[in-house]
Amino acid sequence: MFAKEAFKLISELDLTEDIRPFNEAVVRQVLEEMQTLYKANLADSNAIKNDGNTALLPSVQLRHVALTRNKRCILAYIYNRMRRLRQMRWELGSILPPEINANLANAEVQWFQSYNKSLALYMRSIGDNCGLNLTVNMLPPRSLYIEVKCLTDFGKLEIENGQVVTLKKNTYHLLPRTTCEPLIRQGILEHLS
């Protein structure tokens, strides 16, 4: 059946919101199917052009539709993986966890690094000579300080004013929101309402 393998890629995206390992085997099968369909269409198109055999026209159209569907499925698969990577950059920061990094293809790792550089360059270019970190406050803050609980033994943390706080498991602290946001996203701190 045409485009059956390509549909597997799309259904894989629906299974989870996490980034699963890049399915290179299925992508390769889809590309091979596309190459086969293209060659068959080329041969039939030449037969139609040279011999005037219009009976081959419906099969050419069917294969063309299958080619288009395969292309759209592969592009949707790649685009949605990149969209998830971009979202993780804003949520987790510039360094991805090893379990996510292991699931990426080389081209995706290069894209993520390029996106990091572009975002960092843009953030340095805005604000008062020191830049503006756009990833700090994902939601508008209600107060500058928040109460947090430390979930793991993190060690010492230096706050912007120079004060050093030791973050030990199950300790509570009142800290600046800008310092805590990245640590909350990484699972080191828990925001207490």
Side-chain angles (χ1 to χ4, degrees), residues 2-14:
F2 292 137
K4 183 178 178 184
E5 296 297 318
F7 184 71
K8 285 182 185 177
L9 292 174
I10 301 303
S11 59
E12 180 181 303
L13 291 173
D14 289 336

Side-chain angles (χ1 to χ4, degrees), residues 18 29 34-35 67 70 72 76 88 98 107 143 166 169 174 187:
D18 294 333
Q29 288 174 352
M34 289 175 71
Q35 187 69 26
L67 274 167
N70 280 346
R72 291 182 66 191
M88 286 182 180
S143 65
T166 303
K169 188 174 184 175
L174 186 64

Side-chain angles (χ1 to χ4, degrees), residues 34-47:
M34 289 175 71
Q35 187 69 26
T36 304
L37 291 171
Y38 177 77
K39 287 179 181 177
N41 262 5
L42 184 63
D44 285 354
S45 295
N46 287 336

Side-chain angles (χ1 to χ4, degrees), residues 66-106:
L67 274 167
T68 305
R69 180 175 176 169
N70 280 346
K71 181 176 80 170
R72 291 182 66 191
C73 287
I74 286 180
L75 289 175
Y77 179 73
I78 292 170
Y79 172 76
N80 280 293
R81 288 180 62 88
M82 289 174 55
R83 185 182 52 80
R84 290 176 185 177
L85 276 174
R86 184 178 60 226
Q87 180 181 356
M88 286 182 180
R89 168 55 180 99
W90 285 86
E91 292 174 358
L92 302 176
S94 61
I95 299 174
L96 291 174
E99 60 271 9
I100 293 174
N101 222 0
N103 293 339
L104 302 179
N106 287 336

